[in-house]
Amino acid sequence: MQIKGIKRGQQIELLESLDVPDGTLVDLEVVPERSSPTLWWQALSEMRREIEATGEGLVDDSFLKTRDELFAGETVESLGEHILTFEAERAQEMSA
């Protein structure tokens, strides 16, 4: 059985219900998602550094201003939680 979750400190919050009685000892294999928001953000940051190093830009100031307004106060972790919540809700809708 595979199930997704979000690590928070020393706990893992499951994104689906697990049909196992409370207190049951389980084995876990932790496999970070390849398309995790952290990896995506790292790739985006690397791309931006490369673009800035060339002196050429792919976006104008209005794009940057809009981006900054949309993501004001967000962190990589909070964006990741939003994405995982959306994916879990979408998967639940599709299975219904």
Side-chain angles (χ1 to χ4, degrees):
M1 170 190 313
Q2 289 186 339
I3 190 167
K4 291 185 179 188
I6 302 172
K7 179 190 175 289
R8 298 181 194 281
Q10 291 299 311
Q11 297 181 356
I12 296 176
E13 178 184 330
L14 302 179
L15 297 178
E16 304 168 31
S17 62
L18 183 60
D19 191 22
V20 175
D22 286 349
T24 301
L25 183 63
V26 297
D27 288 325
L28 298 175
E29 179 181 356
V30 177
V31 181
E33 286 191 342
R34 293 179 56 111
S35 63
S36 74
T38 301
L39 293 176
W40 178 84
W41 194 259
Q42 289 170 345
L44 180 64
S45 297
E46 179 63 27
M47 182 183 76
R48 184 174 182 178
R49 280 191 292 277
E50 289 175 10
I51 291 169
E52 289 173 350
T54 66
E56 299 175 15
L58 296 178
V59 296
D60 62 13
D61 289 339
S62 62
F63 171 83
L64 296 174
K65 182 176 183 266
T66 302
R67 179 211 57 198
D68 292 343
E69 289 171 358
L70 286 172
F71 295 115
E74 294 286 351
T75 63
V76 171
E77 291 77 17
S78 67
L79 289 171
E81 290 176 17
H82 292 309
I83 292 168
L84 289 174
T85 300
F86 172 79
E87 288 177 349
E89 289 171 354
R90 184 171 171 227
Q92 194 172 33
E93 290 173 2
M94 293 179 80
S95 68

